[in-house]
Amino acid sequence: MHRAVFAASTVLSAVIALTPSNAFAQSDAPADAAPAPVLDRTVLPIADPVRPSYTELDVRDTTPPKHFEVTAPKDAPNVVIILIDDLGFGATSTFGGPIPTPNFDRMANNGLRYNNFHTTSLCSPSRVAIKCGRNHHMANTGSIMETATAYPGNTGAIPNRIAPLAEMLRLNGFSTAAFGKWHETAPWETSVSGPFDRWPTRQGFDKFYGFIGGETDQWAPLIYDGVRKVNPPQRDGYHFTEDMTDQAVNWVKAQQSMTPDKPFFVYFATGATHAPHHVPKDWIEKFHGQFDAGWDAIREQTYERQKKLGVIPANTQLPPRPEDLAGWDALDENSKKLFRRQAEVFGAFVAHTDHHIGRLIDAVDEIGELDNTLIFYIAGDNGTSAEGGMVGMYNEMTYFNGVQETVEELLPLIDSWGSKSTFPHMAAAWAVAFDSPFKWTKQVASDFGGTRNGMVIHWPDGIKNTGGMRTQFSHVIDIAPTILEACGLPEPVMVNGVQQIPIQGTALNYTFEHPDASERHTTQYFEMFGNRAIYQDGWFARTIHRAPWKVDNLPPLEDDVWELYNAKEDFSLANDLAKQHPEKLAALKEVFMEEATKNHVFPIDDRTIDRANPALAGRPDLMGGRTSLTLYPGMQGMLENTFINIKNTSFTVKAEIEVPEGGAAGALLVQGGRFGGWSLHLREGKPAFEYNWLGLDRYVIEAPDALKPGKHTVTFEFDYDGGGLGKGGDGELSVNGKTAAKGRIDKTQPNIFSADETADVGLDNQTPVAKGIGYGPHETTFTGKIHRITVSVKE
Ligand SMILES: *[C@@H]1O[C@H](CO)[C@@H](O)[C@H](O)[C@H]1NC(C)=O
Ligand SMILES: *[C@@H]1O[C@H](CO)[C@@H](O)[C@H](O)[C@H]1NC(C)=O
Ligand SMILES: *[C@@H]1O[C@H](CO)[C@@H](O)[C@H](O)[C@H]1NC(C)=O
């Protein structure tokens, strides 16, 4: 502790000593004589200048001093980062894909395409790295927030020694706003008790409108405005992408209307095209028949177009699809029918997203700011997701609970695929097709299918040599330094009193006017759940430790086989040269060791399911070892990591309530939503417990009689069978200590109820868990009075 303080103050005094014009250095300046301070932007926040002391008695005898305010450098552009979720290199028309993305095309034609830009292969890590310019492990975000561990590099808590870009810009005179997906707050910090330091509004954003976790229902999202949970506007056909775009458009226009001289920074990260694939029906219809050729043909057609378009070199080979995935021709007609629809919905989702991004770009144009705005349009943070498994799923939560849906079960849902009644994902082979020309997908940090994403930079005032392509290796950590460079801002050495870990990325401005400039980002490691790789000077060594659809029986890490590629000659990593150049491979493995050590990548942690469990992962847990939680009215929006865990155990829910004259109805306590969860409620006055198993099976235990007016204690007890995860048990509902109903719950959800639906007292937000108590907060709110509800689990 002492040492850190000492180090910080040493830097501070060094900075002061080097900048004599700094306001700190001036002592009591006489009135009117203080020179205009030269702003030292390497220490943030910039200190107010020393105030002059006046001796004049009468204000009329003085000239008023200038108001001091930190303003951005004179020519600093506005900055917009657009980030689409879970989209691969070969999906968009801009990079040769089958899905038309006219706005991405437009940006590319007036800007620059980057075809050698890399992400980390997963969302939280890519997002954090984009916004701080350091490697994801360096920022403690080795993997996604929900799989944080005890180890440095993976704690899930971004250190204050790494101030985010938004904070740097805000403290340099920008207005800042984030819209859409966040996913950078550690799970145990998402409750009402905070701390809120790692929420968007304390990570440098003046404004936030979006969701805090990794995904959300697009039709019924969990939204925060700042740190306040809000309900989405009620309107027919509501869709979150449209809503967040409206918010961004309104904010940008208002900000420029109020302060036209003040630049803005907008981080616009859609929940699309991550699962659930929720898309308006008219958009889906536009894609009818577009994917009839099947995933192998679509992949090959994309590959041919990519060569023609020049976004991949002419000598690129198309590697075979991963062996686990079926060839299209081998499928039966029913499977083909289902899978085509999945791709139509996904294609529509991508196009719909690009359409709304276009509205944001148009708004910036409409207020005359487009030329002066540096836009990064990044199509994907980790490649197309293969988490849909072999046949896709109507409810993505089945993946996280290890339940395999079948073609026969899914076929009847074709017409509703993408609507409110589904939470869908597509078959993994589509992900490979949309990642053409690569072999692998999201989560595979050691293949370009997991890391290489199409990116466009658009900045008419700053880039003159437009319309071309840049092929230099680049990485998400290069974005932040590029922005600082473009804005004429130095990298801060100290932010909010804390000495900063140096930025690791390389500013990309050297490529703007010079397509052939020699590459400056020459070494980069990759690691995600044991998949690991190293890039250096055109060479790429990697090992595929696990495919995204494999969660258990992984080989020991030391048995992993490394491969070697000449990435400059072999764009898609089709030719393993490990046998030809063993000495090169050995040298690169050494480089990996060095980089991994330096960046806190070790020890490698390839656990997936176990890492989701705080106790096994070794990260803080808000509920810790607590066996009981008492809840009161007004408590709502509790995410799964900030609520007591009733999975894999016996539990009791005891509600002390009061029923008014005329009876009561509505939710007492719910967790989850339509795609999995449980609910204790009164239905037409009768106490009932409903267990909704992944939206696929429902178990209802209901009392025969409605409650009379007055005070009551409604208790539900669940006696778990035990013997492993996901088992069933016996349920008993009692009223005022007397048994009212008994029933069997055959199975339970083993791992997770929902990534965005929450636990709520006295209402059921978003989609309803139970059938028949209404939809949304207006219809499900309990009409009586709740004194308290206690949930207890067996020790
Ligand atoms: C990468 O994968 C994660 C985990 O599924 C996802 O939430 C995230 O949005 C993806 N990021 C991008 C930029 O595609
Ligand atoms: C790019 O940024 C560097 C500093 O990072 C600066 O020295 C250089 O002049 C810039 N180059 C171009 C071509 O703008
Ligand atoms: C499930 O419960 C059993 C028995 O209490 C326990 O041994 C096991 O660790 C639990 N598993 C998880 C993942 O919580």
Side-chain angles (χ1 to χ4, degrees):
M1 200 61 195
H2 268 104
R3 195 187 315 193
V5 170
F6 173 75
S9 60
T10 310
V11 169
L12 185 54
S13 36
V15 168
I16 293 165
L18 285 171
T19 47
S21 63
N22 187 290
F24 282 118
Q26 300 161 15
S27 58
D28 300 330
D32 303 341
V38 174
L39 298 185
D40 173 12
R41 297 179 189 267
T42 64
V43 176
L44 300 175
I46 297 165
D48 292 344
V50 174
R51 291 163 299 170
S53 295
Y54 289 88
T55 52
E56 293 85 346
L57 179 66
D58 189 334
V59 72
R60 291 171 198 81
D61 299 337
T62 65
T63 41
K66 273 220 162 87
H67 169 68
F68 173 77
E69 188 175 299
V70 174
T71 51
K74 201 170 133 292
D75 296 323
N78 309 303
V79 178
V80 176
I81 297 176
I82 296 163
L83 181 63
I84 302 183
D85 201 0
D86 273 10
L87 186 60
F89 186 83
T92 63
S93 54
T94 316
F95 285 86
I99 306 165
T101 46
N103 293 293
F104 198 17
D105 293 346
R106 165 159 71 117
M107 294 288 101
N109 295 338
N110 293 317
L112 296 172
R113 277 182 181 79
Y114 284 75
N115 77 344
N116 198 359
F117 174 75
H118 298 261
T119 63
T120 68
S121 91
L122 215 56
C123 47
S124 305
S126 289
R127 283 151 202 274
V128 168
I130 282 177
K131 292 215 287 313
C132 72
R134 278 80 162 189
N135 284 311
H136 55 120
H137 293 91
M138 190 62 103
N140 288 345
T141 319
S143 172
I144 57 170
M145 290 296 157
E146 292 77 1
T147 55
T149 72
Y151 291 92
N154 277 300
T155 64
I158 303 168
N160 60 9
R161 282 152 59 73
I162 293 185
L165 174 70
E167 181 74 343
M168 300 178 210
L169 295 178
R170 187 181 74 83
L171 294 174
N172 273 299
F174 281 65
S175 295
T176 55
F179 301 92
K181 169 164 163 171
W182 183 247
H183 212 195
E184 296 177 39
T185 307
W188 64 92
E189 294 184 346
T190 57
S191 87
V192 67
S193 303
F196 287 91
D197 302 68
R198 282 173 279 259
W199 282 58
T201 46
R202 295 236 187 108
Q203 287 279 306
F205 289 106
D206 299 327
K207 162 87 183 174
F208 172 65
Y209 184 85
F211 57 100
I212 212 75
E215 64 180 54
T216 197
D217 190 313
Q218 300 285 336
W219 304 117
L222 172 67
I223 306 175
Y224 290 87
D225 192 337
V227 296
R228 197 169 67 91
K229 186 180 150 348
V230 294
N231 288 316
Q234 282 208 302
R235 60 170 181 248
D236 282 348
Y238 171 92
H239 191 282
F240 177 67
T241 306
E242 182 178 17
D243 182 21
M244 68 175 270
T245 308
D246 290 344
Q247 288 274 339
V249 166
N250 294 349
W251 184 86
V252 164
K253 286 183 171 175
Q255 190 273 348
Q256 283 296 295
S257 161
M258 288 291 153
T259 49
D261 295 333
K262 189 174 182 176
F264 58 80
F265 170 47
V266 167
Y267 173 66
F268 186 85
T270 60
T273 56
H274 194 290
H277 297 173
H278 279 158
V279 199
K281 191 135 194 165
D282 52 332
W283 279 86
I284 299 173
E285 290 319 317
K286 289 185 202 180
F287 286 83
H288 190 67
Q290 300 279 308
F291 299 96
D292 284 2
W295 48 58
D296 293 318
I298 295 284
R299 183 171 184 247
E300 279 152 32
Q301 290 163 10
T302 296
Y303 162 72
E304 292 302 333
R305 261 194 315 268
Q306 289 172 323
K307 283 195 290 189
K308 214 182 262 166
L309 193 61
V311 294
I312 66 174
N315 70 351
T316 305
Q317 293 178 33
L318 190 63
R321 113 179 83 63
E323 278 164 21
D324 292 354
L325 302 178
W328 185 261
D329 289 342
L331 299 172
D332 61 39
E333 215 24 65
N334 276 347
S335 301
K336 286 183 179 170
K337 203 168 146 195
L338 172 68
F339 299 154
R340 281 179 194 130
R341 187 60 168 181
Q342 293 174 349
E344 290 166 9
V345 170
F346 182 73
F349 202 18
V350 174
H352 176 257
T353 306
D354 180 77
H355 166 75
H356 287 289
I357 289 168
R359 291 203 301 125
L360 174 62
I361 295 165
D362 287 344
V364 174
D365 198 10
E366 189 189 328
I367 57 173
E369 289 295 318
L370 191 57
D371 287 354
N372 184 36
T373 300
L374 168 61
I375 300 179
F376 298 82
Y377 188 146
I378 307 172
D381 53 357
N382 35 230
T384 310
S385 170
E387 287 161 10
M390 295 307 135
V391 302
M393 41 218 170
Y394 116 95
N395 174 8
E396 186 208 7
M397 287 301 124
T398 57
Y399 169 79
F400 297 111
N401 285 293
V403 173
Q404 184 69 57
E405 299 179 37
T406 65
V407 172
E408 291 64 38
E409 285 163 352
L410 296 178
L411 211 51
L413 301 171
I414 281 192
D415 286 337
S416 55
W417 205 265
S419 77
K420 276 183 182 154
S421 62
T422 62
F423 203 83
H425 204 335
M426 63 191 169
W430 280 123
V432 175
F434 292 127
D435 262 347
S436 173
F438 307 113
K439 176 167 181 171
W440 296 93
T441 59
K442 167 172 160 183
Q443 286 195 19
V444 185
S446 45
D447 187 75
F448 290 162
T451 66
R452 205 159 183 161
N453 281 98
M455 176 179 67
V456 160
I457 302 183
H458 183 271
W459 185 24
D461 281 355
I463 304 174
K464 296 301 167 200
N465 187 4
T466 56
M469 204 171 57
R470 297 295 178 265
T471 58
Q472 293 88 350
F473 179 93
S474 56
H475 186 264
V476 278
I477 62 174
D478 300 339
I479 302 281
T482 305
I483 291 170
L484 291 179
E485 191 56 51
C487 296
L489 293 171
E491 173 182 349
V493 293
M494 178 94 77
V495 179
N496 295 322
V498 181
Q499 192 185 347
Q500 298 293 291
I501 294 167
I503 285 180
Q504 297 177 295
T506 307
L508 288 169
N509 68 330
Y510 77 93
T511 64
F512 285 176
E513 305 300 337
H514 309 287
D516 302 322
S518 50
E519 192 163 287
R520 292 195 192 168
H521 188 149
T522 51
T523 302
Q524 180 63 46
Y525 82 89
F526 295 88
E527 192 279 332
M528 192 66 64
F529 292 115
N531 288 329
R532 47 208 195 277
I534 182 84
Y535 174 86
Q536 190 167 58
D537 296 320
W539 290 90
F540 188 72
R542 67 113 175 259
T543 178
I544 307 260
H545 177 66
R546 65 173 276 272
W549 44 86
K550 275 196 91 154
V551 290
D552 44 24
N553 296 323
L554 298 176
L557 288 156
E558 57 268 28
D559 290 356
D560 285 338
V561 177
W562 284 71
E563 299 162 6
L564 176 70
Y565 297 91
N566 180 344
K568 281 275 178 272
E569 300 293 314
D570 179 9
F571 189 88
S572 62
L573 309 181
N575 296 309
D576 177 10
L577 303 176
K579 294 223 165 57
Q580 284 94 314
H581 301 287
E583 66 311 320
K584 184 78 198 167
L585 178 57
L588 283 174
K589 282 167 77 175
E590 274 305 304
V591 179
F592 178 84
M593 292 297 290
E594 284 162 28
E595 292 294 311
T597 307
K598 201 165 74 187
N599 283 284
H600 307 288
V601 176
F602 294 130
I604 303 271
D605 193 341
D606 62 352
R607 300 172 300 160
T608 49
I609 300 290
D610 283 358
R611 274 177 75 169
N613 178 326
L616 301 178
R619 68 171 170 271
D621 184 7
L622 192 72
M623 289 295 136
R626 284 171 66 176
T627 54
S628 149
L629 176 67
T630 301
L631 301 150
Y632 301 94
M635 294 178 75
Q636 51 170 301
M638 290 167 280
L639 289 158
E640 208 147 328
N641 277 296
T642 57
F643 193 75
I644 196 161
N645 184 5
I646 61 118
K647 294 180 287 289
N648 184 36
T649 184
S650 297
F651 65 89
T652 305
V653 185
K654 184 173 148 200
E656 295 166 51
I657 60 170
E658 211 168 313
V659 173
E661 289 303 326
L668 298 175
L669 178 63
V670 306
Q671 182 178 24
R674 172 184 274 162
F675 304 100
W678 56 273
S679 164
L680 181 64
H681 54 265
L682 300 193
R683 193 191 322 241
E684 292 166 358
K686 296 175 197 164
F689 182 90
E690 180 162 336
Y691 196 102
N692 173 348
W693 189 82
L694 288 161
L696 296 170
D697 282 306
R698 291 171 183 272
Y699 305 94
V700 181
I701 299 168
E702 185 171 296
D705 304 315
L707 293 184
K708 301 220 156 49
K711 287 189 177 177
H712 297 282
T713 301
V714 175
T715 308
F716 176 75
E717 283 180 273
F718 181 66
D719 187 11
Y720 190 55
D721 292 345
L725 296 171
K727 300 292 190 247
D730 296 317
E732 178 173 343
L733 194 62
S734 52
V735 176
N736 303 325
K738 289 203 192 72
T739 301
K742 286 184 174 189
R744 179 79 194 154
I745 294 171
D746 288 337
K747 49 191 186 282
T748 57
Q749 290 187 214
N751 300 324
I752 182 174
F753 288 113
S754 172
D756 68 328
E757 295 262 5
T758 60
D760 306 311
V761 176
L763 77 173
D764 188 344
N765 275 313
Q766 301 173 257
T767 65
V769 176
K771 278 205 168 136
I773 61 159
Y775 191 107
H778 307 288
E779 295 177 13
T780 58
T781 297
F782 183 57
T783 56
K785 187 171 161 111
I786 293 172
H787 290 289
R788 69 176 65 74
I789 301 177
T790 303
V791 183
S792 325
V793 298
K794 207 168 141 190
E795 304 257 348

